[in-house]
Amino acid sequence: MKQELKFKVNGEERELWIDPKTLLVEVLREELGLTGTHWSCDTGACCCCTVNVDGMAVKSCSMLAMQAYGREVTTIEGLADGPTLHPLQQAFIDNWAFQCGFCTSGQIMAANALLNENPSPTREQIQLQLDGHICRCTGYNMIQEAIQDAAKRLQKSKV
Amino acid sequence: METKYSVIGKPTGNVDGMAKTTGEGKYTFDMYLPNMLYGKHVRSPYPHAKIISIDASEALKLPGVKAVITGKDVPGGKWGLWRRFRELCDQIALADDKVRFIGEPVAAVAATTKDIAAKAVELVKVEYEILPGVFDPLEAIKDDAPLIHEDFENNINATRHIEWGNVDEGFKQADYVREDKFTLFPQAVVSMEVHNSLASYDKGTGKLTIWSSTQSPYYLQLGLADALKMREGDIRVIKPHVGGGYGGKNSTMPDATTAALLSMKTGRPVKVVFNREEEFTTTEHRMGLHLAIKIGLKKDGTILARECKIITDGGAYTGLGATALYLAGIFQTFPYKIPNWRYDAFRTYTNKVWATSVRGFGAVPTVYAAEVQLDRAAKEMGIDPLAIRRKNLMEPGYEAPGQYKVESCGIVPCVDKMAERIKEKWPKLEKDEGIGYAGFAYMSGGIFNWIDTPYAYSGARVQVNIDGSVDLFTQAADIGQGHNTVAVMICAEELGIGIEDIRLHPGDTATAPVDLGAWGSRETLMNGNAIKMAAGQVKQKLVDLARAKLGENIAYDLVCREKRIYLELRPERGYSYYEMVEAAIKLNDGEPLIGTGHYTPHNKGMISPAYGMGIMAMKAKVDRETGLVEAKDVLIVHDCGQVINPLGARGQVEGSVHMGLGYALTEEMPNDNGLVLNPSINDYKIIRQRDMPQIELLDVPTYDPSGPFGAKEAAEATISPTAPALANAVFDACGAEFDSNCLKPERVLKAIREAEKNQKNKAKAKK
């Protein structure tokens, strides 16, 4: 039997009726059309599907959508401020921090949660936070450089 | 440094950057069509079995199930990429008479939801008669081994013999000869976007449109034409953004054929998406093999002869495995002069999912053996490992008789630069640290035409509109390597405009000229040349017009640069690009300016028009108690010709090293009688962020006459040296020798104990 889910997604209140066993990633992609959140491993092992729930990095394949009831979900589509890219997004482009781009949404959303908590992380702290994020293209170094670059840009913009 | 270029050579952000960092860029995986059905496969639980019967009646009764198909519903025949040799076109859409590996599809269902499709798959009853299977290449060639394909005696799928010089004489003259044996394990591809396709068949026109996660829209079009018995031109393949390929998305796979067949049957769009377990167990991987290698050298370290024999675990079908067999031999000889060389290779069918092209296509396992053996020889002969490499390097113009010619060749300055840099970079090693070297080279696209295309290898069309904006059409495939950026940079450089002036229309067989796709590091050189030619045609029209209007001496050269067309020696004399475009179109009776370009290599040998090359050094540390090896630091000196986009080139090198380190340290696919034992990202260990070393990349620029603006490959060469450089670093640190890749702690501990025993025995013998 379907149940009602009320939550906030990228700043908008959403109400929908879903099968309670539906995963958050399925609701985001298939009900709300937010396909920027990808899904790759089926076993919670790759972190491709990472979104922010109340500011925390969460694997949306490992959370039932109903667990997001009353909470605030941010996906990659909600990160930019209108037409202006978030510093993380711009830094990912400028530092060539993605290639195929399939895991990129997850990397950026994890980095976003990290920078919210720790505005100038060391290389080791980035590696620790993003260690579960599998990328088959980049070898990670350029991702870590982009996150440090974004941290600097964010701090500058706050001064 | 002053450069004559305004676009290429400058670090340029990815033109797909906005699409890929905002979630707005769509992959096939992200596409849903109204009224779409979900397809799913019924797969064999047995590695080798006859199909006795398939009963789909219960599945068809399930509400929401719209169709079930089996091998009997496939109108076409077999297909493959070796179209010049039809007997090697052995793939089938759905197994009809028998299955040859665990997970082979025997039927497929189409249903209104994913859940119903999954339930329906469970309801299809298949009766099998189990046949004995064979799982190792050395078993497969025995006379009493079960035959996997009736027409292939002893399960031998393909063989290769290549030879030059006089190998036996070379060994006779050698002061030092050694032989080694290796077993190299397969490596999974693991693209983050799984294989998936969305097909929509128009019953009225009899035409098919398919969106697919492919490396080559053209190859997919050919494969589908064979499988569906349709004309190529009636099939439109569209390649949206692709979430990685690495060689594993060249073959036409059942995601595409089944989506198409189910759409033709139901008249509705059908999407087939593999899950991760299907990726690991039923899609292609890098070949495993047994290898024997023998080298003969003069006292001073000069290589006189080498002989290599391999037998590969091919799996159930051919894929690009037969090509890998060839390249495995060829690239083992690079970047060294080997005057006498012999290579014998056998590819066997086994009851496993099959092996194909994977990043470093062919080269990775054989280069491992050659580079590791070279260090063992150097140590026994008392020669420094970098010096022995320096002694044998290719030079510009080097030719391997009947096979290849190397034009631009920066390997000597690369090794010299390495020798210099390494002294500053790693002046002192800590305890249990070692440095390992490996040389490398790779092709900038393949010359061999097993696909038997009648088209040019790459094509492009440029259309310049009245406002100066450019539409660039090509089937060239960006699967993440950054070719879209390279393509517009080359077009912009040639026309003297900016990349923001160009709209690229890639990867659509209905609108763009054929390109063979992203494999063998071919797009920069081959598609780059086609684009440069297409843009060059338009440029010529603009230059001619400007020359006529200026009324200058015909001998004076004009250039297109920074949106102006002007006299090279008197830059103030000229016109704006926009002015000339508008005038040229008006003169052309209102037709936009069109340029068409194509590229097919001629007179460049058998392998490739140009070779990227270089040398890698790896610093590693071994924990003698736990056997854990840590890749600490990497130094690469690289010749990839004129770099088009330094950011993209670095990205490719970093990525190659990452996948190479997985091959070196953690990635293997244990298999029990045809069953892959670790089919998940939890159990198949890809190198993670904390285990990835920093990489210092130094360039030795050369200019290759075959490349657009002198460019060569930068995509794959650096995967091959990674694993041998690591194994050589461990050898340097503690003397441990390995006869395989994947240096897991248990293998390392065993090798350390073995090395210690050998050292003790040697010491005893001395006493």
Side-chain angles (χ1 to χ4, degrees):
Chain A
M1 210 175 69
K2 291 204 170 179
Q3 286 185 12
E4 190 181 23
L5 169 64
K6 285 188 187 177
F7 64 154
K8 213 177 203 182
V9 180
N10 298 333
E12 279 178 50
E13 296 288 349
R14 307 298 295 241
E15 287 180 38
L16 59 163
W17 288 82
I18 60 163
D19 182 338
K21 75 175 196 313
T22 312
L23 300 171
L24 178 58
V25 64
E26 292 174 294
V27 165
L28 293 173
R29 288 177 53 84
E30 291 163 20
E31 303 288 334
L32 303 178
L34 297 170
T35 55
T37 300
H38 289 138
W39 196 2
S40 179
C41 74
D42 306 320
T43 50
C46 75
C47 297
C48 250
C49 62
T50 300
V51 298
N52 291 169
V53 178
D54 292 342
M56 283 189 304
V58 169
K59 289 185 273 188
S60 62
C61 76
S62 303
M63 180 173 184
L64 291 170
M66 290 308 293
Q67 289 175 294
Y69 195 100
R71 305 174 85 171
E72 182 159 4
V73 176
T74 308
T75 71
I76 192 74
E77 289 91 344
L79 200 59
D81 180 12
T84 310
L85 291 180
H86 186 278
L88 266 168
Q89 293 168 314
Q90 194 59 53
F92 264 61
I93 297 173
D94 295 344
N95 289 275
W96 203 266
F98 60 87
Q99 291 178 34
C100 85
F102 203 77
C103 71
T104 305
S105 306
Q107 306 267 9
I108 290 178
M109 295 316 292
N112 188 47
L114 171 66
L115 294 185
N116 285 341
E117 220 172 78
N118 177 356
S120 56
T122 62
R123 191 89 173 206
E124 289 68 30
Q125 287 168 331
I126 294 171
Q127 288 173 352
L128 200 63
Q129 173 88 359
L130 271 76
D131 199 48
H133 288 253
I134 302 289
C135 171
R136 196 55 157 168
C137 293
T138 62
Y140 310 113
N141 284 322
M142 294 167 95
I143 294 178
Q144 294 158 14
E145 288 164 22
I147 294 170
Q148 289 198 307
D149 182 13
K152 277 187 208 142
R153 292 178 197 216
L154 274 164
Q155 280 179 329
K156 253 190 208 161
S157 69
K158 275 173 196 157
V159 174
Chain B
M1 195 176 78
E2 179 71 21
T3 151
K4 56 182 174 168
Y5 301 123
S6 19
V7 181
I8 65 166
K10 297 197 164 47
T12 303
N14 198 311
V15 295
D16 296 325
M18 187 72 98
K20 289 183 175 180
T21 58
T22 59
E24 291 308 318
K26 298 300 170 221
Y27 299 75
T28 307
F29 191 77
D30 302 329
M31 295 181 59
Y32 303 87
L33 285 178
N35 208 28
M36 184 182 96
L37 299 173
Y38 293 85
K40 194 163 174 64
H41 287 107
V42 179
R43 295 183 178 277
S44 166
Y46 305 112
H48 202 190
K50 264 191 194 155
I51 300 168
I52 305 297
S53 67
I54 300 177
D55 177 5
S57 53
E58 288 301 311
L60 282 165
K61 279 182 207 158
L62 190 69
V65 174
K66 299 296 170 191
V68 179
I69 54 169
T70 69
K72 308 255 180 299
D73 298 300
V74 181
K78 294 183 175 181
W79 76 83
L81 292 167
W82 273 68
R83 291 160 58 95
R84 270 195 87 77
F85 301 89
R86 276 283 160 182
E87 68 277 14
L88 291 178
C89 291
D90 51 11
Q91 268 181 267
I92 40 176
L94 294 166
D96 195 9
D97 53 343
K98 70 169 186 175
V99 291
R100 296 179 174 88
F101 69 95
I102 291 175
E104 178 151 23
V106 297
V109 305
T112 48
T113 70
K114 282 183 290 183
D115 284 352
I116 296 172
K119 269 183 211 150
V121 162
E122 300 292 318
L123 295 174
V124 176
K125 291 189 199 98
V126 187
E127 198 186 331
Y128 296 95
E129 179 192 324
I130 298 170
L131 300 170
V134 61
F135 309 102
D136 184 89
L138 294 172
E139 296 295 318
I141 54 170
K142 288 183 178 164
D143 284 336
D144 58 351
L147 273 191
I148 296 170
H149 293 267
E150 296 305 320
D151 300 335
F152 288 80
E153 237 175 274
N154 294 100
N155 292 311
I156 292 172
N157 159 250
T159 61
R160 278 285 179 180
H161 172 82
I162 316 172
E163 186 168 355
W164 60 69
N166 186 333
V167 177
D168 298 323
E169 192 52 40
F171 282 124
K172 254 189 231 161
Q173 287 174 9
D175 300 313
Y176 175 91
V177 174
R178 72 170 289 140
E179 290 179 61
D180 292 283
K181 284 186 175 166
F182 293 86
T183 295
L184 284 309
F185 303 123
Q187 182 177 29
V189 174
V190 204
S191 298
M192 296 316 285
E193 185 191 19
V194 292
H195 284 76
N196 69 122
S197 294
L198 169 57
S200 179
Y201 181 72
D202 183 331
K203 281 198 168 178
T205 59
K207 299 202 193 305
L208 176 75
T209 303
I210 185 162
W211 294 262
S212 187
S213 186
T214 176
Q215 294 183 222
S216 174
Y218 177 58
Y219 288 178
L220 182 56
Q221 194 185 30
L222 295 178
L224 285 169
D226 283 342
L228 308 173
K229 221 177 182 177
M230 284 173 71
R231 281 196 304 192
E232 286 160 42
D234 291 337
I235 300 163
R236 178 182 187 186
V237 177
I238 301 173
K239 179 205 74 69
H241 293 298
V242 171
Y246 321 98
K249 288 175 181 166
N250 282 316
S251 288
T252 298
M253 295 294 277
D255 59 311
T257 48
T258 295
L261 286 163
L262 287 170
S263 181
M264 291 163 87
K265 180 138 185 165
T266 59
R268 290 169 67 167
V270 177
K271 188 167 185 186
V272 176
V273 183
F274 286 0
N275 61 32
R276 185 54 62 183
E277 189 178 339
E278 288 176 304
E279 275 304 283
F280 274 110
T281 56
T282 74
T283 70
E284 304 160 304
H285 56 261
R286 189 191 306 287
M287 62 192 177
L289 54 87
H290 301 295
L291 176 150
I293 182 167
K294 183 177 170 185
I295 190 168
L297 303 106
K298 281 207 280 198
K299 262 186 218 139
D300 67 356
T302 307
I303 300 172
L304 287 181
R306 186 194 277 156
E307 179 171 28
C308 181
K309 294 175 186 161
I310 68 169
I311 180 164
T312 79
D313 188 349
Y317 298 102
T318 301
L320 279 177
T323 318
L325 204 67
Y326 182 38
L327 298 176
I330 292 296
F331 284 103
Q332 194 191 52
T333 64
F334 278 84
Y336 308 111
K337 290 187 280 199
I338 299 176
N340 305 293
W341 183 68
R342 184 157 60 215
Y343 174 68
D344 280 287
F346 302 86
R347 183 179 193 271
T348 62
Y349 283 125
T350 53
N351 289 113
K352 295 174 175 174
V353 66
W354 65 101
T356 192
S357 50
V358 179
R359 196 170 201 163
F361 196 0
V364 171
T366 48
V367 168
Y368 183 84
E371 290 287 340
V372 166
Q373 185 184 53
L374 197 57
D375 266 32
R376 292 178 190 172
K379 190 175 184 186
E380 285 204 347
M381 296 169 72
I383 304 176
D384 173 75
L386 195 57
I388 203 169
R389 288 176 170 83
R390 177 70 177 78
K391 185 105 204 154
N392 292 288
L393 296 173
M394 288 176 176
E395 285 153 353
Y398 175 76
E399 260 181 89
Q403 294 294 333
Y404 58 81
K405 183 177 175 184
V406 179
E407 295 199 52
S408 71
C409 178
I411 186 70
V412 169
C414 282
V415 172
D416 289 345
K417 203 167 184 176
M418 165 74 75
E420 227 171 84
R421 176 73 187 116
I422 211 134
K423 279 185 231 150
E424 312 158 6
K425 191 175 170 73
W426 301 323
K428 229 180 125 194
L429 294 180
E430 284 174 33
K431 190 172 170 289
D432 295 330
E433 280 187 350
I435 295 175
Y437 298 97
F440 60 85
Y442 207 65
M443 60 183 167
S444 312
I447 288 174
F448 28 89
N449 185 18
W450 27 257
I451 196 77
D452 209 15
T453 177
Y455 293 113
Y457 283 19
S458 189
R461 191 171 70 249
V462 163
Q463 174 178 315
V464 181
N465 307 306
I466 194 76
D467 55 4
S469 65
V470 175
D471 286 291
L472 170 59
F473 298 85
T474 176
Q475 282 185 33
D478 189 332
I479 56 172
Q481 83 276 37
H483 182 67
N484 285 351
T485 309
V486 165
V488 299
M489 287 175 81
I490 287 174
C491 185
E493 182 68 50
E494 185 67 7
L495 283 169
I497 56 177
I499 61 172
E500 69 284 357
D501 294 311
I502 300 166
R503 181 195 286 254
L504 179 66
H505 305 259
D508 182 343
T509 60
T511 61
V514 166
D515 173 274
L516 301 187
W519 58 265
S521 300
R522 60 182 297 288
E523 298 289 32
T524 296
L525 187 143
M526 297 201 174
N527 187 241
N529 276 327
I531 290 172
K532 189 165 181 288
M533 180 179 170
Q537 284 183 357
V538 173
K539 174 178 157 178
Q540 192 62 48
K541 288 178 194 170
L542 299 177
V543 164
D544 289 346
L545 183 61
R547 190 198 304 284
K549 284 178 80 107
L550 282 167
E552 282 291 350
N553 188 330
I554 190 148
Y556 288 3
D557 290 320
L558 282 94
V559 292
C560 297
R561 218 179 150 176
E562 281 155 18
K563 305 183 189 186
R564 284 188 74 239
I565 298 155
Y566 56 88
L567 284 175
E568 195 171 13
L569 298 176
R570 281 198 215 139
E572 71 283 0
R573 304 263 301 129
Y575 299 99
S576 93
Y577 160 79
Y578 298 102
E579 209 180 331
M580 283 301 96
V581 166
E582 203 180 322
I585 289 175
K586 284 177 178 165
L587 272 172
N588 207 22
D589 202 18
E591 194 182 0
L593 304 175
I594 306 277
T596 57
H598 63 274
Y599 178 78
T600 303
H602 293 289
N603 301 317
K604 299 285 176 192
M606 303 279 284
I607 313 296
S608 180
Y611 302 88
M613 53 182 68
I615 177 114
M616 178 186 291
M618 170 99 60
K619 187 167 84 167
K621 185 168 187 167
V622 186
D623 185 325
R624 287 174 184 263
E625 295 301 313
T626 63
L628 203 68
V629 172
E630 190 189 347
K632 304 248 333 170
D633 209 353
V634 179
L635 172 62
I636 297 168
V637 191
H638 194 205
D639 158 26
C640 62
Q642 165 68 47
V643 179
I644 303 290
N645 183 5
L647 277 178
R650 182 187 163 204
Q652 286 290 282
V653 168
E654 295 262 353
S656 273
V657 173
H658 172 256
M659 199 169 185
L661 258 193
Y663 189 75
L665 283 173
T666 55
E667 294 184 38
E668 64 174 333
M669 304 174 76
N671 187 298
D672 180 15
N673 287 338
L675 188 71
V676 179
L677 296 178
N678 56 344
S680 78
I681 287 181
N682 310 59
D683 297 324
Y684 184 87
K685 299 296 184 190
I686 289 168
I687 297 289
R688 298 190 171 220
Q689 308 235 2
R690 277 186 292 176
D691 299 321
M692 187 66 195
Q694 301 272 299
I695 299 166
E696 180 180 338
L697 176 64
L698 301 175
D699 274 323
V700 169
T702 60
Y703 178 93
D704 197 286
S706 293
F709 303 105
K712 304 193 281 189
E713 79 80 42
E716 293 180 82
T718 43
I719 188 170
S720 303
T722 308
L726 183 97
N728 287 342
V730 176
F731 181 58
D732 183 47
C734 65
E737 294 183 14
F738 302 92
D739 56 8
S740 75
N741 58 317
C742 196
L743 308 190
K744 288 188 166 174
E746 59 267 30
R747 289 198 180 105
V748 175
L749 277 183
K750 204 176 143 208
I752 290 174
R753 302 289 170 260
E754 196 72 24
E756 286 169 351
K757 209 168 70 189
N758 288 345
Q759 277 157 11
K760 268 183 204 160
N761 288 345
K762 266 189 200 164
K764 259 189 212 163
K766 267 190 190 167
K767 278 178 194 167

